[in-house]
Amino acid sequence: MIKVLFFAHLRDAVGEESLTLDAGGKTVAELKADLAAIYNLPKMDTVMTAINEEFASNDEVIRDGDEVAFIPPVSGG
């Protein structure tokens, strides 16, 4: 099991700050695609990902026990 954290508009779209999922062994890209389909999330390709508080690429494999955070781009001043 992994813990997935959502920030900004993603949290609003999912309706939760975090979820616990069985996604060990998937890549970041696969998890993004799954979540986008389930929750109708827009623009997941522009979302930054962190695994265990370190930025991760889309081809990084998620392991059981990891904490994955999805952080959308921020604008403003």
Side-chain angles (χ1 to χ4, degrees), residues 32-76:
K32 282 182 176 181
D34 290 349
L35 292 171
I38 294 168
Y39 294 102
N40 195 27
L41 300 176
K43 300 182 182 178
M44 286 298 283
D45 56 326
T46 63
V47 171
M48 296 194 62
T49 306
I51 298 176
N52 301 323
E53 300 183 10
E54 293 190 21
F55 287 111
S57 64
N58 282 332
D59 60 349
E60 190 156 339
V61 177
I62 301 164
R63 294 181 189 75
D64 281 335
D66 281 347
E67 181 178 81
V68 179
F70 292 115
I71 308 155
V74 179
S75 64

Side-chain angles (χ1 to χ4, degrees), residues 4-8 10-11 14 16-19 35 41 70:
V4 182
L5 304 174
F6 300 98
F7 294 91
L10 296 176
R11 180 178 53 225
V14 173
E16 299 284 341
E17 187 173 298
S18 67
L19 298 173
L35 292 171
L41 300 176
F70 292 115

